[in-house]
Amino acid sequence: ATWTLPALMSIFTGVLPSVHQIDQIEGVAPLSESIPTLAEAFREAGYFTGAVLCNYYARGSYGFYRGFDLYDEYSVFMDTFTSGFDPAVFANPGITHVRSGRSVMESAKAVLQRAKVSDKPVFLFVLFYDPHDEYLSPYDIYYGKFGVGYDESMIGRRLKDRRHMIPEGPELEDMIKLYD
């Protein structure tokens, strides 16, 4: 599959989208109980299973939560400016930010601490949103470390406005550094 929802479901089930049928955003029934998931297999094998994510397309209601002892999901705010999608369909309009990778990692650490108490081996699925546009690299950590010059037109929401422009030279090099 070419996009998150059916691709992740295929990873979690080992079957094609034509089999799991999770390939639409709205109006889709949750994953059939007859299709086992990776997390269910890990839990049956005696693992503590946890997930921490912030991608709307991996929300539990599609069936991703099955087999997880702890499923920490967080809806991603996608307004028409940042994503081109209708916020009434995709998220709670009260949420005004995307959960950062730093926040996801803090939650993942907490899940690992909880898993430690179980004294079981751990299967932990962590899904980040940061590599998507709008890309918001923490300036204090990464710009200096990777030698990226600060240019407001290359970060955050303004990058979206330039998506059809092909960068060249130093601008292209800086954009690559941002993702590195």
Side-chain angles (χ1 to χ4, degrees), residues 14-72:
V15 299
L16 295 171
S18 59
V19 176
H20 62 61
Q21 301 289 305
I22 307 296
D23 58 0
Q24 297 177 45
I25 298 166
E26 298 297 326
V28 61
L31 179 67
S32 169
E33 292 291 331
S34 67
I35 300 174
T37 69
L38 181 63
E40 288 172 323
F42 271 106
R43 187 160 61 181
E44 287 173 20
Y47 281 69
F48 177 91
T49 55
V52 178
L53 56 137
C54 64
N55 192 309
Y56 182 82
Y57 299 122
R59 68 185 192 269
S61 61
Y62 290 120
F64 285 108
Y65 66 88
R66 286 192 12 218
F68 284 102
D69 295 309
L70 192 148
Y71 197 81
D72 178 3

Side-chain angles (χ1 to χ4, degrees), residues 8 12 48-56 58-59 64-65 68-76 99-115 122-130:
L8 277 178
F12 272 75
F48 177 91
T49 55
V52 178
L53 56 137
C54 64
N55 192 309
Y56 182 82
R59 68 185 192 269
F64 285 108
Y65 66 88
F68 284 102
D69 295 309
L70 192 148
Y71 197 81
D72 178 3
E73 63 182 326
Y74 188 96
S75 293
V76 177
R99 188 177 192 189
S100 71
R102 191 179 293 177
S103 170
V104 171
M105 281 307 301
E106 289 304 314
S107 294
K109 287 178 190 176
V111 172
L112 287 174
Q113 287 301 317
R114 207 163 146 187
V122 177
F123 169 67
L124 177 62
F125 172 66
V126 181
L127 181 62
F128 296 93
Y129 197 83
D130 299 272

Side-chain angles (χ1 to χ4, degrees), residues 4 49 134 141 153 175:
T4 305
T49 55
E134 305 300 323
I141 297 174
S153 69
M175 290 181 88

Side-chain angles (χ1 to χ4, degrees), residues 82-155:
T82 59
S83 68
F85 297 120
D86 180 351
V89 173
F90 291 95
N92 175 348
I95 298 171
T96 59
H97 65 283
V98 172
R99 188 177 192 189
S100 71
R102 191 179 293 177
S103 170
V104 171
M105 281 307 301
E106 289 304 314
S107 294
K109 287 178 190 176
V111 172
L112 287 174
Q113 287 301 317
R114 207 163 146 187
K116 195 175 197 178
V117 174
S118 76
D119 203 31
K120 296 179 181 179
V122 177
F123 169 67
L124 177 62
F125 172 66
V126 181
L127 181 62
F128 296 93
Y129 197 83
D130 299 272
H132 293 71
D133 64 342
E134 305 300 323
Y135 180 67
L136 298 171
S137 174
Y139 180 81
D140 57 332
I141 297 174
Y142 298 111
Y143 281 71
K145 186 181 282 188
F146 287 93
V148 178
Y150 179 78
D151 177 355
E152 197 173 294
S153 69
M154 288 181 48
I155 63 169

